[in-house]
Structure formats: C-alpha cells, structure tokens
Amino acid sequence: MSVCLWVCLFSFWVNDPPFGLIIHGGAGTIERHKMSADLDAEYRRALKTALAAGYEILQKGGSCEAAAIATIKSMEDSPLFNAGRGAVFTNNGKNEFDASIMLGTGEAGACAGVRNIKNPILLAQAVMNSTPHVMLAGDGAVAYARELGLEFETDSYFFTEKRWKQLKKAKVKEKEQSHDNKWRKFGTVGVVALDKQGHMAAATSTGGLTNKQFGRIGDSPIIGAGTYCDNETCGVSGTGQGEFFMRSVVAYDVAALIKYKGMRLQEAVDEAIRKLSDKKGSGGLIAMNTKAEIAFSMNTKGMYRGYRISDGRHVVQIYGDEH
Ligand code: ASP
C-alpha cells in the first residue's frame, strides 16, 4: 500500500509539467570592478523580485502571458533598468518607450515611441488582445492607452539622475565616436515564460538607447528582431544595439536555426550572437523552450539575467564570467 503511494507520488512528480522563466535586464559594459557592492546587491535583488513576480503566477497555474507581463512590469517599475521608470533619455531630454509581447501560439502586440505611459508592456498586451493590429506607435498609441484607462505619469516620474548624467556624457562623447559605436550601455528588460500548460510567452520593454534621435524606434517592439516566441522552437528576448538586431532579425534567427538547422537551444543562441559579432554589433539574448531548457549568450562584458525553473534551478547573474 505505502509502496503504491510512493510510486504514485513519484510518477506524479516525474510527470508534473515543467514551468519557469528566464529574464534579462540589459547587456553592456557591466564590469565587476566598476560596480559597488551595494549596487550589485540592488540589481540582484531587483532581478529576484522580477523572477518571483512571474514564478508565483506560473506556480499557481497562471498563464505564461500573465507571468511575462508581471515580470516586465516589476522591472519597468524599478528605477534600475532602462524600461518604464528607469528609461534613458532621447537627444531632446525625453523618454520614449518601445515594448512588445509574443505568445508561443503566434499572437503578438507591440507599441513604439510612446511617452508617459507607466507600463508600456500593458499597452503592447492590449494591442495584442484587443485590436486587430500588431503594433501601435506615437500619438495613436498614446490615445489608445488613454482610452483603455492605462496609468500615465508625468516626466518627473521617469527622471533619474543616473540616466540624465548618461545623456550629458553621451552628448560630450557624441562627436568623438563612430556612428554605430556611440552606444555602449544597454538596459532593456526581457522575459521568456513557460507555463504548466506547456505554452510560452516572450516580452521585451525598453527606453531604447541613451541620446537616441527622438522618434527613433529600436528592435524591442519589432517581432522577430527583439522578441520572438514559438512553442515549437523557442521564445527569445534580446538586448543590445537595436539597429543590428533589426537588420539581422536576430530573435527570429534563433528560432529559425532550431527549426531549419536542427540546432539545440544553446547552440542557436550562441550562433546568433556569433553572427551579431561578425557584423560588429553587440548585445545579448535569453531563450527558453517548452522542455524548460534555458539559454543565454552575449558578446558584451555583462548582462543582468536570471532564471527560475520548477526543477529548482534559481540563479541571478550579472557579469560575463559568472556561470
Ligand atoms: N535593444 C534596445 C534598443 O536598441 C536597447 C537595449 O537593449 O538596451 O532600443
């Protein structure tokens, strides 16, 4: 009798569908010796908080979409990351946001170049769920957000001293640097979540690049470039120099390498980053599949990242040499 009970419990445990999530908080010149112990700890805490926000939803049987949104929202509300509250400044001293979400079943939504919306990811989600479109931009997107009753904030909410200083510095350096190497610090946030039902969602949100021409739109809201999700292959979110991710359709490339070349997840992610390096672009990627395999890769010094999976894997990392 008790043997039977153990066998039943064991088979239940074995067959329990895996779930979990992987996140990034941006890649770039993030170096151990330049980071204070306090700031290092603050980032790790914020990454853990974001992971917990999504994980709790997945654990209760919630959807990958709900988990992805809660995770991104947590990072958009933190002043540490370049998304929502901590967004970088454009060349005219404003904040403009791009965000997107895609489900493994193919639905997608995005918003681009929007201002003053507290959580741009909620607008991307609404575009996916409540309109026949995939992307809304500019004034029309903002008007739609108002119609939905989404929360707005004044410019001062998005003002952080750190980002303002970065803008000033970027303006000084602007003239010294080449066209494509102007931007070295990224901080976009992204997630791929897998729920107990075996579905995935990938989402990305950003303030873009410091000192970007106002009106510039990056890869993060572009399905296939900064975000991609397909239950058959993988979910992907990227961070880095968006122009390179757009030209090489990097997020979709990871899925295509799996689908058409039969690569494993980590191999595909590494190959996409290798191709990015070949083109002299820089950045990082996170990816996950429905077997709860996770992968990340970057050609930058670091990438804020973490994952929490139902089999007990629970990790947050910052620097390139952490494994
Ligand atoms: N990829 C983003 C962009 O180009 C920037 C980043 O990842 O930080 O807008």
Side-chain angles (χ1 to χ4, degrees):
M1 178 72 172
S2 72
V3 171
C4 176
L5 185 67
W6 279 113
V7 169
C8 288
L9 277 175
F10 182 70
S11 71
F12 176 74
W13 177 71
V14 165
N15 294 326
D16 215 13
F19 62 90
L21 71 166
I22 180 165
I23 61 173
H24 71 76
T29 43
I30 309 162
E31 291 173 275
R32 209 183 286 275
H33 69 274
K34 287 189 188 151
M35 183 87 89
S36 72
D38 284 353
L39 193 57
D40 178 297
E42 241 186 282
Y43 269 109
R44 288 179 201 268
R45 248 195 320 274
L47 289 169
K48 281 198 173 154
T49 303
L51 283 172
Y55 193 83
E56 276 161 25
I57 291 173
L58 296 170
Q59 197 168 32
K60 288 185 195 139
S63 71
C64 52
E65 177 183 337
I69 294 291
T71 305
I72 296 284
K73 207 168 163 285
S74 157
M75 291 195 278
E76 284 179 343
D77 290 342
S78 162
L80 292 177
F81 303 106
N82 171 21
R85 184 156 179 217
V88 299
F89 289 100
T90 59
N91 64 347
N92 67 349
K94 308 275 191 223
N95 313 99
E96 290 179 0
F97 313 116
D98 297 338
S100 69
I101 179 163
M102 184 172 193
L103 307 185
T105 43
E107 297 95 317
C111 61
V114 295
R115 300 203 53 231
N116 299 99
I117 295 173
K118 188 179 179 203
N119 294 111
I121 197 63
L122 295 181
L123 179 55
Q125 183 189 28
V127 173
M128 174 174 78
N129 292 335
S130 312
T131 79
H133 311 302
V134 169
M135 188 191 288
L136 290 183
D139 291 350
V142 172
Y144 184 61
R146 287 205 188 278
E147 205 180 301
L148 290 169
L150 293 186
E151 242 180 293
F152 277 70
E153 290 289 352
T154 58
D155 286 353
S156 63
Y157 169 83
F158 301 102
F159 182 91
T160 57
E161 198 61 45
K162 176 172 118 182
R163 300 300 186 199
W164 191 250
K165 279 191 187 146
Q166 283 174 357
L167 175 66
K168 297 274 155 222
K169 212 165 139 190
K171 284 197 177 288
V172 172
K173 283 195 167 172
E174 192 169 33
K175 292 171 195 94
E176 300 160 16
Q177 288 170 338
S178 75
H179 182 62
D180 278 330
N181 281 326
K182 247 183 240 174
W183 301 288
R184 309 210 80 98
K185 287 203 169 88
F186 319 115
T188 295
V189 304
V191 63
V192 185
L194 166 69
D195 63 30
K196 288 184 179 175
Q197 291 71 42
H199 290 291
M200 289 191 300
T204 310
S205 178
T206 190
L209 299 171
T210 299
N211 199 27
K212 67 182 179 183
Q213 163 68 39
F214 73 92
R216 175 263 190 192
I217 288 164
D219 60 313
S220 307
I222 298 183
I223 298 302
T227 306
Y228 191 70
C229 196
D230 166 23
N231 285 334
E232 298 304 312
T233 50
C234 63
V236 183
S237 173
T239 170
Q241 291 167 295
E243 283 68 15
F244 289 87
F245 280 68
M246 288 151 87
R247 291 183 201 121
S248 301
V249 205
V250 173
Y252 177 71
D253 196 31
V254 175
L257 288 166
I258 294 170
K259 188 165 180 169
Y260 303 118
K261 276 205 155 176
M263 283 192 185
R264 286 178 299 110
L265 190 71
Q266 184 67 55
E267 248 184 305
V269 164
D270 288 341
E271 175 64 5
I273 291 292
R274 193 195 59 71
K275 287 159 86 175
L276 185 71
S277 303
D278 273 358
K279 301 230 159 106
K280 311 266 180 285
S282 60
L285 287 169
I286 55 164
M288 187 171 188
N289 63 20
T290 53
K291 288 187 262 173
E293 290 171 346
I294 52 109
F296 61 83
S297 195
M298 73 202 103
N299 62 5
T300 50
K301 298 245 163 76
M303 176 166 72
Y304 301 107
R305 60 197 184 272
Y307 47 90
R308 189 165 171 190
I309 313 293
S310 54
D311 60 13
R313 284 174 287 163
H314 188 184
V315 166
V316 297
Q317 295 171 335
I318 298 179
Y319 313 105
D321 59 9
E322 282 180 89
H323 297 291

